[in-house]
Amino acid sequence: MLVALPLLVIPVVLYNIVVLSNVISGSDVNLAAGGADAILRDPMFSIPMASGTSWNVGVGDLILLLSLILLFFELLKSTSSQKVAIVNHALSMILFVVVLVEFLLIKGFATSTFFLIVTMVMLDVLAGFIVTIISARKDLDFGASA
């Protein structure tokens, strides 16, 4: 049954942990005044570049990288025509509703990082439904010509 779980739950949970742990810990960062962006952009490490500058990598960047990788695997999973794929599509839709509500209503979630995560979840939902509809149409066409 874990196969049905959308992989994009992982970056959503990580984002929730990073942002909400700072709210719970009572840090002095004000989430309403862009504090969540500051938390996500705070450099974890720097990579020196050939141009002489440093590339600063923050928590938000790593969450987005993980999200993109997991989106690729979600798109591969959406091409499956197994029964578990329908459950995956339904759970992806529920995840989309949850992240959309978080983005619109909860302080600390109105960031570009989270917006991109919401967009990836939406693309996963759309890809799943589109692939399912196209494969069902092909099955229907194949059955009609036989």
Side-chain angles (χ1 to χ4, degrees):
M1 192 64 182
L2 281 177
V3 176
L5 190 67
L7 295 175
L8 289 172
V9 158
I10 297 168
V12 170
V13 168
L14 285 175
Y15 187 95
N16 278 279
I17 289 171
V18 168
V19 172
L20 295 178
S21 67
N22 284 297
V23 171
I24 293 171
S25 70
S27 69
D28 58 353
V29 178
N30 185 359
L31 290 178
D37 270 331
I39 293 165
L40 296 167
R41 294 181 196 274
D42 188 30
M44 291 179 59
F45 57 90
S46 295
I47 300 172
M49 304 302 285
S51 64
T53 61
S54 292
W55 173 29
N56 297 324
V57 180
V59 175
D61 300 324
L62 294 177
I63 292 174
L64 284 177
L65 175 64
L66 176 66
S67 300
L68 286 169
I69 293 168
L70 293 177
L71 178 62
F72 171 74
F73 288 109
E74 273 297 314
L75 292 176
L76 289 178
K77 279 177 32 178
S78 71
T79 62
S80 167
S81 61
Q82 299 174 354
K83 291 179 184 177
V84 76
I86 303 300
V87 176
N88 179 278
H89 299 329
L91 292 175
S92 293
M93 186 65 187
I94 292 169
L95 178 63
F96 175 66
V97 170
V98 168
V99 296
L100 187 61
V101 167
E102 284 181 332
F103 179 70
L104 295 173
L105 301 179
I106 302 177
K107 289 181 182 176
F109 288 83
T111 64
S112 295
T113 301
F114 198 69
F115 173 75
L116 291 173
I117 293 171
V118 171
T119 304
M120 287 182 222
V121 173
M122 181 189 66
L123 289 174
D124 174 38
V125 170
L126 290 174
F129 288 134
I130 289 169
V131 167
T132 302
I133 290 169
I134 289 172
S135 65
R137 185 180 303 162
K138 286 182 180 181
D139 289 344
L140 194 62
D141 289 342
F142 181 71
S145 64

